[in-house]
Amino acid sequence: MSALVPRMFRVRVPGPEGGPEFRAIRTFAAEEADTPVKAGLRAGVMYGLLRLPEAGVERLAHLAGELTGHMAESVLSDTLLLVTDYDHGRATLSVIAPAGRVWKTLDPGSLAHLEPTDRTGVIAHDIGPSAYVQVGVTRP
């Protein structure tokens, strides 16, 4: 992509079949105090570009900030990856801590902006621990 296009506005559509309809991956420094705010902003921009309903975008932005903050407090890692996916009515926020070590229990189910129909979980990837939230939200 062009260097003139700000990184926060880039949305990548994966090539492989069976992948999500839209995906964006952003890197954040785990130690910076404003990382949750930046993560929420980036998620809000990505889902806003997909023209999801405003209330859904706002809630996803809050959840991205909360999930990123939760991972920063629970995992020893220098870097956090925020993965924002959208696929056929389901938005998934994942935060991965490359080469990270869990030192506090990961509990994405404790986030404040969750609703009863949302799904949460923790995955031990080869590259490091991950927590995710899936939210049902449809495009108009």
Side-chain angles (χ1 to χ4, degrees), residues 61-135:
H62 283 294
L63 285 169
E66 289 179 34
L67 186 60
T68 304
H70 179 66
M71 286 291 287
E73 293 172 1
S74 303
V75 177
L76 298 173
S77 181
D78 294 333
T79 305
L80 297 175
L81 302 175
L82 173 66
V83 182
T84 50
D85 288 340
Y86 180 80
D87 195 32
H88 306 294
R90 184 145 304 269
T92 305
L93 298 162
S94 303
V95 178
I96 304 168
R101 291 189 7 223
V102 176
W103 69 283
K104 284 172 120 179
T105 303
L106 289 173
D107 183 15
S110 66
L111 303 179
H113 286 87
L114 287 176
E115 293 182 357
T117 57
D118 298 340
R119 293 188 217 168
T120 63
V122 175
I123 300 172
H125 292 288
D126 289 341
I127 64 166
S130 168
Y132 71 88
V133 175
Q134 283 188 335
V135 176

Side-chain angles (χ1 to χ4, degrees), residues 11-65:
V11 176
R12 167 173 85 79
V13 180
E17 284 187 42
E21 188 177 350
F22 294 97
R23 169 176 282 167
I25 302 172
R26 300 290 176 254
T27 305
F28 298 97
E31 303 87 24
E32 292 182 9
D34 63 348
T35 288
V37 174
K38 288 179 182 177
L41 174 67
R42 298 289 173 104
V45 168
M46 192 278 199
Y47 290 120
L49 288 172
L50 295 178
R51 298 179 189 234
L52 296 181
E54 189 175 330
V57 170
E58 186 174 319
R59 192 163 81 84
L60 287 164
H62 283 294
L63 285 169

